């Protein structure tokens, strides 16, 4: 680090890289149970996955050496690497993989489980505890695993990318029911990844050390530390040399300049997290697709990107990453057009009959409550802009901020109605339509299907077109992902994969 | 005691033209021109009305005034001039060594978190810094013995709050004596104490001045105390000397009008005077002016207040404070409740009014146990009772004007319209000789005597059948007290109410009441007509109580002291 | 008696005396100035506090925007004046809730005694034991974030102190003889409580209320910092300050934090001055004797000598 | 004494019970489902329902409370929804940090407040007293979080003297004196921020109680018997002031702990304040209940401690079953 090492005592020596986490990890270091990006950061350095994505967003082998898929898409077979050892020296085998997914389907599994598992053969009976036998996944030999699907589910790969494999010999000692609570096992993860877990100081940091036996090549530094620093303090920590890598949370040029002044460089890549305002399609006022389209037209989304995000974002017109290969190029862009919005509203029967500047229909005024969660600074800037946009076309828009969990549970409650709610999600590969649940939108039958990745992709594109047409959300943007990097070489992230090259990271001389 | 000895005695303290002014938001000339002299072995009493500068004068001699006090005057201690105008090193040097002070409120004057032994030891060490621990302890025990405290060795380990008021006062005296001072300044040393305890302290002071030759300057407003102990009296008013002289002379031949007024205000009480035992009820009646009170009604009539076997406790599961007290009061009759402080007088009053928990017995007003009645009837009975509580300040709401205070019972009890009630209030103020322009004042803006009269006006607003007056004069100085009693008599004659009169002032009781109940520790020890109880007390306690009440008559007091001393040596 | 007389005299004229002290004058004029500015100021400004101007975001103070603009190009001065209304509303309303609840419960507990007292005191202890922020956050999400909830939360969690003070005061007043008198007279309890007990608690209530204003204004700011205060698009000093919570703004855009920060400090400072002046007036200090703090010269000052001579 | 303690403990139990009922109610009256965020939003509704049923979410509220109470009485506060782990484990991990910080802050605050408070009391009404008063007001009127930011800017960014957050240098593995020094350096800023608010209330309180003591009835008699000023103030007034000082120390416990929320948030100090903040934000009600109950217990014990300490410093006070 820069700065006076004596004064700051920063990173403990020349062989340590410190990565800032803006919040404390929950300490759920189980690769299939973790809930936050902060836990994920640790898990992705300690564990490995069967597959990962490359820069072109294609699936590449990791723990799996190769795989094959049957014609009908119902059988997928993985050949595993044979040179992999767990951090405690035990060998990694097909049994571990089978154990992972059997546990996922177990009745006691303390969470929802990975989606693709529920498409596997015999899932229902096993999950309901009717049999002890789960035929959906089996080890053909020590290094071969076969998945058998009831219905083909090509999107499984995206889940394999998200959920690393954990060790059978560690976890089978704990009853599955207690997996989320057994601190002793949860907080001492044993993986196959580039770094070994060393210490979790709750609320402060997680320290990892290099795994010399990593099958992808031993890391070049000795220690990797994830330190909890809230984003307000980041600038101080960076200046002070307490941190080497951190996320950019504010694209304000003067903030970026401040980071640069502190001796850091900025690494920018297309983001994968999208923001949008969900619309309740069952809401009487919003039932009419014209009204929803009007709401999209009336939102000056480009200005929001240009001002609040200083251009560091892409506009979206569906719940998917514009970089996604299945994202159709021909979606309606809903360019900012308040006149068109007014016209659509008029067609839908909303006019200002009493001249008070607010649209009405059948004696009811067009009110619109924009709900957003308090824990995002960005939302508190975007929401007032939308409010102004809507007020400009005669909608009586108001703002309501609640904490994220209240908002979430309100959206999840089918009996509650809302107007517009700010949401954000990570747009994962091959996963579409999950958020329709919130809009209460059922327009596009069985959302996304296909026997192989290609047919699945076409189906996905059609789905996105339908969603775009139905205007179930006011899609806002996918903000670029930014990193502040100080004194580190070899930091080479790309979408979905921040840590894939963490074994290549070195400190600048 | 021989006068000749005193005349030759050397002068210890000579104060001439003492003046003290407080500067600040307003300038107060607390002491204007004050002079007096104290000789060796002599007791000098300073008397005067409240606020006349007595305490300030004493404090100024020790430099114990706040910074905003400007002191001037010629003070000579043992013939050497002492500069009292600032906190001079000499003043600090004489403190506790040559001049000591005994403060008025004993508990308030002791540090609560140190044992009394430690506090005396501190004073000992001031005078003898090199003394070792054993010496100091020995001296502390000596001092405790000299102020006649029992078991000095256990006592010195106690904290102030563990001692009785009289013991605390003795501790203060012991502290004052620790430096073997030439002068003892005693600021109302007995005001907070019971008459019986008071007597002991006065005897002690007297003995110290005689045996150790200490000059004692005692400040008091009680002429009985003066008569009891003082060789010389200095009368002060508005911060200036009015008259000074030898005690007996001053009592018999006061020169100054104010002195005369002061002495006149003292209730004349032949009943308690002289030797106990002579029977002269008729003389009493004429001498006390009790003739002005109408004769008690015939005894076959229903008593207005009848209390039978009353027991009271303040909190559940705590011992009773009053045990089985009985008495009754007829129309036109005044019954006195007397007894030392804490004997349960106020408690009985509260219980009669339903403000304390009755644990046994009955309270009947006009023949009914009104406290057991329903709310509505009970309220009706309550309106027949007038109440005057002990402290004149506490009994008026500081945020109500006088007229509002007086009118309140009329408005809220009888439902008289506000305007009428306020008009009636002004009439009542006339009756108690308050000017109408006071109607809009607040209690803090009038004097204690005036407040007392407001309370009386308020109590009679509903034309009570029964008046309950709890020590209505305890906090007043004699001159104000005299006015209040006169008013009282007048009202009683006009309204003819029955009256329960609580007091610890026996001379006053003797001159004003028909019957008396003597209380000790919540028990009724005597009950009967004033003449018989006071003249022929049947219990030792009553006798002691009656004898301890100092009379404003130097000869009587000297005679009593002589008898006591005889009894002690015998 | 004379001492009692003089103390009570000071009490009765206490507030009047307080009004003349420099502390009170400074505090009161600062508060009045702030009130006037916030009430009438917005009427004179060309901008609405919520007007967004994405073309001039975070602009430094200039001729058009005297105090610059915020992250959405809104005029800082307009938001400052408008936010002042919110902050003061929070302060006053929260205190109102506290005073009403605290006084009523305290007076009832003190007067009624017995089980009612125990019951109310247990409730008070319960509320006292609530850790402020966790409960405030929970309540905020129960009620939604808006100004009235801030008022409610601050009032709801803040009344216990006053309740205890009023109760203690009432307990001693209850035994005072003017109250015993009204009870002996058989006057109804509500009359005694309102006309005598509560009225005599005014000094305690007033002094406590000024402290509570401070507490409310600062709590609103802290709640804004935690995302629970007055919410967008409305401004309050607290949320303006909390939006300026970044080291970047702190070092390079002072117009975003200096005005709300200074405004909070001024308001709190002046309210504290008023409170202090009042409390000094109602609790007169007995002057210390000379030895406690001996004057350096040990001689009467010239001023004192003059006063003595003038009076003599 | 024993009866007194027993009675106080019984009251404490009643109060704790009341707190648990109220907190339980307000937490559960919040709209929506506390477990909502536990599952992926795209979990199918039937799976969601099943998980909820297993968790007892559909039980009637009173039953949920009784279950909670039953476990709580045995010292089991359940598992955190958000973090999975046992509530007692989570609290145990954090409480020490908060207590340490709060204790240091309180000690510094009292160490400063006593001399300043006494000085102001002695100089009551003088210019120096007024100056101190105004300084005090100045300190309280700065919002704590704001002050913290300014400290950060000055000491971490501009001067680069102090680390910006945390308790220790991550992964440095210092031992012995170096470790202590490291912690101290991390603690300076949070302790100052937490301390200042406390300092003002201690200072004001001590000023007024010392002021009352200095004009108490027993002061003049002490001088009258010839003691000097030093002896009067340092021996008599100090000993008498012990009670007010204990009062404020014990009674400020809840405010120190809740003040820690802000400080801990800013300086990423992993304490109970931060934990409670997160628990409240994420409706982690088992954790929140656990923390609230623990803080309430600490508050009550603080009050009790104050009362018991009084009897030591003030011989006038006797504890009895009454009152
Ligand atoms: N610190 C002070 N500042 C201003 N005035 C004072 C101060 N102390 C006493 N006084 C005034 O000085 C006058 C004399 O007071 P002092 O206490 O000497 O009266 P006193 O004769 O002892 O009365 P009492 O019998 O009631 O004790 C009173 O008017 C009182 O108000
Ligand atoms: N409110 C109370 N609670 C408990 N005990 C009390 C209360 N008031 C008085 N006592 C006790 O009751 C006893 C009698 O008190 P009371 O006030 O009746 O005495 P008193 O004869 O009126 O004395 P004084 O002459 O001092 O007025 C005393 O021991 C006192 O301590
Ligand atoms: Mg006096
Ligand atoms: Mg009494």
């Amino acid at each position: 680090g820069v700065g006076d090492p004596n004064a700051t005592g920063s990173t403990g020596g020349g062989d340590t890289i410190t990565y800032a986490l803006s919040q404390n990890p929950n300490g759920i270091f189980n690769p299939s149970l973790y809930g936050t990006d902060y836990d994920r950061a640790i898990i992705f350095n300690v564990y490995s996955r069967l597959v990962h994505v490359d820069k072109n967003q294609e699936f590449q082998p990791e723990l799996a050496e190769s795989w094959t898929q049957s014609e009908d898409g119902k059988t997928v077979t993985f050949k595993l690497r044979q040179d992999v050892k767990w951090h405690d020296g035990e060998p990694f085998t097909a049994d571990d993989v089978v154990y992972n997914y059997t546990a996922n389907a177990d009745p006691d599994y303390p969470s929802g489980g990975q989606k693709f598992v529920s498409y596997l053969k015999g899932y229902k009976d096993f999950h309901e505890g009717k049999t002890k036998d789960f035929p959906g996944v089996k080890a053909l030999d020590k290094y071969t695993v076969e998945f058998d699907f009831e219905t083909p589910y090509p999107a499984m790969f995206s889940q394999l990318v998200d959920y690393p494999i954990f060790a059978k010999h560690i976890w089978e000692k704990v009853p599955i029911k207690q997996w989320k609570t057994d601190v002793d096992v949860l907080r001492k993860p044993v993986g196959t990844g580039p770094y070994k877990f060393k210490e979790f100081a709750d609320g402060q940091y997680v320290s990892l050390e290099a795994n010399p036996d990593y099958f992808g090549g031993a890391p070049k530094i000795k220690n990797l530390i994830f330190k909890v620093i809230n984003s307000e303090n980041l600038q101080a920590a960076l200046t002070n040399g307490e941190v080497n890598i951190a996320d950019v949370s504010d694209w304000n040029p003067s903030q970026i300049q401040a980071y640069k002044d502190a001796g850091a460089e900025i690494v920018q890549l297309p983001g994968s997290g999208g923001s949008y305002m969900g619309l309740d399609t069952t809401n009487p006022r919003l039932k009419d697709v014209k009204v929803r389209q009007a709401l999209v037209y009336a939102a000056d989304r480009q200005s929001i990107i240009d001002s609040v995000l200083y251009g560091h974002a892409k506009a979206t017109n569906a719940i998917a990453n514009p970089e996604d290969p299945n994202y159709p190029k021909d979606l309606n862009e809903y360019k900012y057009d308040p006149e068109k919005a007014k016209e659509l509203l008029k067609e839908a029967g909303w006019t200002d009959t009493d001249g008070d500047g607010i649209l009405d229909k059948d004696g009811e005024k067009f009110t619109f409550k924009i709900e957003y969660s308090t824990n995002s600074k960005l939302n508190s800037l975007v929401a007032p802009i939308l409010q102004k946009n809507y007020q400009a076309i005669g909608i009586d828009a108001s703002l309501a901020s609640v904490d994220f969990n209240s908002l979430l549970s309100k959206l999840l409650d089918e009996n509650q109605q809302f107007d517009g709610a700010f949401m954000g999600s990570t747009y994962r590969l091959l996963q579409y339509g999950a958020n329709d649940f919130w809009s209460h939108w059922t327009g596009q039958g069985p959302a996304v299907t296909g026997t192989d990745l290609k047919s699945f992709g076409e189906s996905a594109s059609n789905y996105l077109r339908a969603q775009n047409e139905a205007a179930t959300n006011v899609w806002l943007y996918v903000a670029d992902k930014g990193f502040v990097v100080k004194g580190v070489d070899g930091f080479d992230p790309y979408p979905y994969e921040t840590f894939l090259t963490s074994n290549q990271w070195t400190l600048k001389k | 005691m021989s006068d000749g000895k005193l005349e030759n005695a050397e002068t210890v303290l000579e104060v001439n033209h003492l003046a003290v002014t407080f500067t600040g938001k307003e300038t107060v000339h607390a002491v204007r021109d004050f002079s007096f002299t104290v000789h060796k072995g002599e007791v000098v009493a300073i008397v005067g009305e409240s606020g006349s500068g007595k305490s300030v004068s004493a404090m100024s001699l020790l430099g114990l005034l706040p910074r905003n006090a400007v002191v001037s005057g010629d003070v000579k201690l043992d013939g050497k001039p002492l500069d009292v105008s600032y906190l001079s090193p000499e003043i600090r040097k004489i403190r506790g060594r040559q001049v000591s002070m005994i403060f008025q409120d004993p508990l308030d004057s002791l540090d609560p978190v140190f044992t009394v032994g430690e506090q005396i030891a501190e004073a000992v060490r001031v005078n003898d810094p090199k003394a070792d621990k054993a010496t100091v302890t020995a001296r502390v025990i000596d001092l405790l013995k000299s102020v006649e405290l029992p078991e000095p060795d256990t006592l010195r380990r106690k904290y102030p709050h563990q001692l009785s008021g009289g013991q605390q006062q003795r501790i203060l005296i012991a502290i004052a004596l620790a430096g073997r001072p030439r002068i003892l300044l005693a600021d109302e040393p007995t005001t907070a104490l019971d008459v019986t305890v008071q007597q002991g302290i006065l005897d002690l002071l007297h003995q110290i001045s005689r045996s150790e030759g200490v000059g004692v300057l005692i400040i008091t407003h009680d002429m009985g105390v003066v008569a009891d102990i003082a060789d010389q009296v200095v009368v002060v008013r508005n911060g200036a000397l009015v008259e000074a002289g030898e005690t007996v002379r001053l009592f018999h031949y006061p020169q100054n009008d104010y002195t005369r007024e002061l002495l006149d205000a003292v209730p004349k009480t032949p009943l308690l005077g002289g030797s106990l035992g002579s029977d002269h009820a008729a003389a009493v009646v004429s001498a006390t002016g009790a003739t002005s009170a109408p004769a008690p009604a015939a005894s076959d009539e229903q008593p207005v207040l009848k209390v039978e076997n009353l027991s009271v406790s303040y909190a559940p599961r705590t011992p009773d404070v009053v045990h089985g007290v009985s008495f009754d009061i007829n129309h036109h009759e005044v019954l006195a409740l007397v007894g030392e402080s804490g004997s349960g007088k106020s408690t009985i009053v509260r219980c009669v009014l339903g403000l304390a928990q009755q644990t046994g017995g009955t309270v009947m007003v006009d023949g009914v146990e009104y406290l057991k009645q329903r709310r509505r009837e009970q309220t009706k009975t309550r309106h027949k009772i007038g109440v005057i509580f002990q402290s004149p300040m506490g009994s008026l709401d500081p945020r109500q004007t006088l007229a509002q205070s007086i009118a309140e019972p009329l408005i809220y009890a009888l439902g008289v319209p506000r305007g009428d009630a306020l008009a009636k209030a002004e009439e009542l103020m006339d009756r108690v000789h308050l000017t109408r322009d006071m109607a809009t004042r607040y209690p803090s803006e009038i004097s204690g005597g005036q407040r007392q009269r407001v309370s009386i006006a308020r109590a009679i607003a509903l034309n009570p059948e029964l008046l309950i007056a709890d020590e209505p004069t305890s906090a007043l100085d004699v001159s104000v007290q005299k006015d209040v009693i006169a008013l009282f008599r007048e009202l009683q004659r006009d309204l003819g109410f029955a009256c329960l009169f609580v007091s610890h002032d026996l001379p006053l009781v003797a001159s004003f009441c028909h019957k008396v109940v003597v209380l000790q520790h919540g028990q009724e020890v005597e009950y009967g007509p004033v003449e018989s109880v006071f003249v022929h007390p049947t219990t030792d306690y009553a006798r002691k109580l009656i004898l301890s009440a100092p009379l404003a008559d130097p000869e009587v007091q000297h005679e009593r002291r002589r008898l006591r001393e005889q009894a002690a040596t015998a | 008696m004379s001492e009692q007389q003089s103390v009570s005299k000071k009490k009765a004229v206490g507030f009047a005396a307080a009004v003349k002290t420099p502390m009170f004058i400074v505090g009161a004029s600062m508060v009045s100035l702030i009130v006037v500015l916030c009430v009438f100021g917005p009427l004179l400004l060309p901008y609405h506090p919520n007007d967004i101007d994405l073309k001039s975001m975070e602009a430094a103070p200039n001729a058009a925007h005297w105090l610059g603009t915020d992250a959405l190009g809104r005029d800082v001065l307009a938001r400052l004046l408008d936010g002042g209304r919110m902050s003061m509303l929070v302060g006053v309303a929260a205190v109102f809730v506290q005073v009403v609840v605290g006084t009523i419960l305290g007076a009832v507990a003190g007067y009624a005694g017995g089980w009612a007292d125990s019951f109310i005191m247990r409730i008070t202890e319960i509320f006292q034991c609530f850790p402020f922020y966790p409960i405030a956050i929970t309540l905020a999400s129960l009620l939604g974030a808006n100004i009235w909830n801030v008022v409610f939360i601050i009032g709801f969690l803040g009344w216990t102190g006053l309740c205890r003070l009023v109760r203690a005061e009432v307990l001693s007043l209850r035994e005072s003889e003017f109250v015993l008198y009204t009870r002996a007279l058989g006057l109804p309890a509500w009359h005694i409580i309102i006309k005598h007990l509560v009225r005599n608690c005014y000094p305690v209530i007033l002094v406590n209320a000024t402290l509570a204003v401070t507490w409310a204004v600062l709590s609103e700011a802290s709640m804004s910092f935690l995302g629970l205060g007055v919410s967008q698009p409305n401004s309050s000093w607290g949320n303006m300050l909390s939006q300026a919570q970044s080291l970047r703004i702190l070092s390079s855009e002072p117009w975003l934090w200096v005005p709300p920060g200074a405004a909070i400090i001024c308001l709190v400072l002046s309210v504290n001055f008023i409170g202090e002046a009042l409390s000094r007036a109602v609790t007169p200090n007995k002057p210390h004797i000379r030895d406690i703090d001996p004057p350096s010269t040990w001689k009467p000052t010239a001023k004192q000598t003059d006063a003595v001579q003038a009076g003599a | 004494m024993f009866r007194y303690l027993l009675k106080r403990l019984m009251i404490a139990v009643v109060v704790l019970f009341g707190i648990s009922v109220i907190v339980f109610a307000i937490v559960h009256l919040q709209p929506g489902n506390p477990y909502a965020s536990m599952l992926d939003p795209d979990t199918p509704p039937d799976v969601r329902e099943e998980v909820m049923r297993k968790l007892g979410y559909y039980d009637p509220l009173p039953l949920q409370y009784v279950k909670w109470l039953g476990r709580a009485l045995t010292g089991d506060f359940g598992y955190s929804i958000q973090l999975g782990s046992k509530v007692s484990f989570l609290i145990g991990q954090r409480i020490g940090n908060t207590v340490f910080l709060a204790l240091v802050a309180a000690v510094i605050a009292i160490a400063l407040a006593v001399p300043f408070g006494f000085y102001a009391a002695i100089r009551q009404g003088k210019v120096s007293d007024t100056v101190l008063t105004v300084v005090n007001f100045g300190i309280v009127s700065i919002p704590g979080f704001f002050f913290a930011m300014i400290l950060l800017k000055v000491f971490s960014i501009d001067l680069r003297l102090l680390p910006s957050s945390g308790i220790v240098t991550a992964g440095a593995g210092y031992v012995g004196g170096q470790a202590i020094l490291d912690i101290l350096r991390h603690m300076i800023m949070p302790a100052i921020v937490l301390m200042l608010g406390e300092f003002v209330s201690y200072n004001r309180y001590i000023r007024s109680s010392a002021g009352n003591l200095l004009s108490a009835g027993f002061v003049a008699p002490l001088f009258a018997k010839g003691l000097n000023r030093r002896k009067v103030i340092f021996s008599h007034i100090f000993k008498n002031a012990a009670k007010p000082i204990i009062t404020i120390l014990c009674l400020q416990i809840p405010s120190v702990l809740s003040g820690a929320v802000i400080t801990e948030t800013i300086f990423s100090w992993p304490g109970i304040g931060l934990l409670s903040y997160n628990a409240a934000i994420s409706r982690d009600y088992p954790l929140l209940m656990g923390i609230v109950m623990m803080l309430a217990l600490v508050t009550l014990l603080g009050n009790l401690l104050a009362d018991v300490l009084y009897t030591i410093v003030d011989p006038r006070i006797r504890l009895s079953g009454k009152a």
Side-chain angles (χ1 to χ4, degrees), chain A residues 30-105:
Chain A
N30 174 306
S32 70
L33 289 170
Y34 70 91
T36 70
D37 283 349
Y38 316 104
D39 293 84
R40 183 184 163 106
I42 313 302
I43 288 168
F44 275 49
N45 281 293
V46 173
Y47 293 94
S48 321
R49 299 155 286 169
L50 287 177
V51 297
H52 63 249
V53 289
D54 65 10
K55 277 195 167 149
N56 304 320
Q57 306 292 296
E58 309 214 322
F59 298 106
Q60 298 296 338
E62 191 169 313
L63 283 173
E65 230 160 20
S66 63
W67 59 86
T68 55
Q69 196 172 1
S70 67
E71 274 299 297
D72 61 0
K74 287 191 176 177
T75 309
V76 186
T77 314
F78 289 89
K79 277 245 161 277
L80 304 178
R81 291 182 78 112
Q82 309 195 1
D83 58 347
V84 182
K85 280 210 176 81
W86 294 101
H87 291 160
D88 59 4
E90 295 285 320
F92 162 78
T93 68
D95 280 348
D96 288 313
V97 179
V98 172
Y99 182 73
N100 269 254
Y101 296 102
T102 315
N104 237 287

Side-chain angles (χ1 to χ4, degrees), chain C residues 6-20:
Chain C
S6 61
V7 169
S8 49
K9 186 150 197 155
K10 274 180 195 151
K11 242 185 193 166
V13 296
F15 288 130
V19 169
K20 294 204 198 97

Side-chain angles (χ1 to χ4, degrees), chain D residues 8-320:
Chain D
R8 285 293 298 257
L9 286 178
M10 264 154 56
I11 289 179
V13 168
V14 170
V15 170
L16 285 176
F17 176 75
I19 291 170
S20 72
V21 171
I22 295 179
V23 177
F24 195 88
I26 56 179
V27 169
H28 284 81
L29 285 176
Q30 283 176 280
N33 179 343
Y35 302 98
S37 53
M38 194 173 151
L39 297 177
D40 245 359
D42 58 348
T43 313
D46 48 330
V47 176
R48 179 179 296 281
E49 207 151 303
E50 183 195 323
V51 175
M52 293 302 146
R53 200 174 30 254
K54 275 193 230 159
L55 288 165
Y57 173 64
Y58 295 105
D59 290 347
L61 211 53
L63 180 65
Q64 288 188 42
Y65 177 73
V66 171
K67 278 189 187 170
W68 177 86
L69 187 67
R71 280 185 285 112
L73 284 179
T74 64
D76 174 11
F77 285 95
Y79 294 89
S80 155
I81 294 176
Q82 208 64 26
L83 308 177
S85 330
K86 254 185 149 50
V87 167
S88 45
F89 168 80
L90 291 167
I91 294 178
Q93 272 210 321
R94 299 291 189 95
I95 184 78
N97 296 337
T98 296
V99 168
F100 183 47
L101 180 64
L103 216 62
V104 170
V107 167
I108 299 175
I110 207 92
L112 290 176
V114 168
F116 278 111
F118 267 85
Y119 181 75
I122 288 172
R123 317 245 1 151
Q124 212 158 53
K126 309 278 163 44
V127 177
S128 44
D129 172 33
T130 310
V131 169
L132 272 179
T133 303
V134 173
V135 168
N136 270 321
F137 289 159
I139 294 173
V140 266
S141 58
I142 303 174
F145 65 92
F146 188 66
F147 182 66
M149 292 304 284
I150 293 176
L151 283 187
L152 261 177
K153 174 167 159 38
V154 174
F155 290 101
S156 277
I157 295 196
D158 296 346
L159 302 177
R160 298 193 184 188
L161 275 177
L162 297 172
S164 65
S165 57
I167 297 184
V168 296
T169 302
Y174 290 134
V175 285
Q178 242 185 334
I180 293 171
L181 208 70
D182 188 43
I183 292 177
L184 283 182
R185 276 163 27 77
H186 281 82
M187 201 158 61
I188 291 175
M189 287 194 287
I192 287 178
V193 171
L194 194 55
M195 178 275 279
L196 274 185
E198 295 308 310
F199 164 72
V200 172
S201 48
Y202 294 172
N203 191 11
R204 309 284 308 146
Y205 188 78
I206 289 171
R207 173 187 173 272
S208 87
S209 40
N212 288 338
L213 286 172
L214 288 171
S215 55
F218 64 82
V219 174
L222 292 175
F223 284 110
K225 73 180 170 187
L227 298 186
N228 58 24
R229 178 165 176 259
R230 198 171 41 91
K231 185 102 188 171
V232 170
I233 291 178
F234 288 102
S235 144
H236 287 267
I237 305 290
F238 256 50
K239 193 160 176 197
N240 275 279
K243 187 176 144 192
I245 291 173
I246 288 173
T247 314
I248 184 98
L249 264 182
C250 293
L251 300 189
Q252 285 284 316
I253 290 176
S255 104
V256 182
L257 291 178
S258 76
V261 172
I262 302 274
T263 320
E264 290 175 5
T265 311
I266 293 181
F267 294 104
S268 302
W269 187 271
I272 204 83
L274 199 55
L275 191 69
S276 71
Y277 171 74
N278 286 327
I281 280 292
S282 59
R283 304 213 173 160
D284 194 337
Y285 88 88
L287 183 55
L288 185 64
M289 293 285 294
I291 296 174
V292 169
M293 296 316 289
M294 195 221 40
L295 291 181
L297 190 69
V298 171
T299 307
L300 290 172
L301 287 180
N303 292 356
L304 186 60
L305 185 69
D307 289 354
V308 172
L309 287 179
Y310 286 172
T311 59
I312 297 170
V313 300
D314 189 341
R316 281 168 299 181
I317 296 170
R318 282 277 152 274
L319 303 181
S320 65

Side-chain angles (χ1 to χ4, degrees), chain B residues 312-329:
Chain B
V312 190
S313 151
Y314 270 103
R317 292 188 304 278
T318 54
D320 287 356
V321 180
V322 168
H323 316 267
V325 170
S326 310
F327 57 85
D328 48 45
I329 314 175

Side-chain angles (χ1 to χ4, degrees), chain C residues 103-132:
Chain C
T103 305
I104 292 179
L105 289 183
V108 169
Y111 181 74
W115 70 266
D117 182 30
S118 313
F119 181 73
I120 293 176
M121 286 331 283
R122 291 303 87 79
I123 301 273
T124 311
E125 273 165 34
I126 288 174
F127 276 77
Q128 222 182 1
C129 285
F130 284 152
F132 180 78

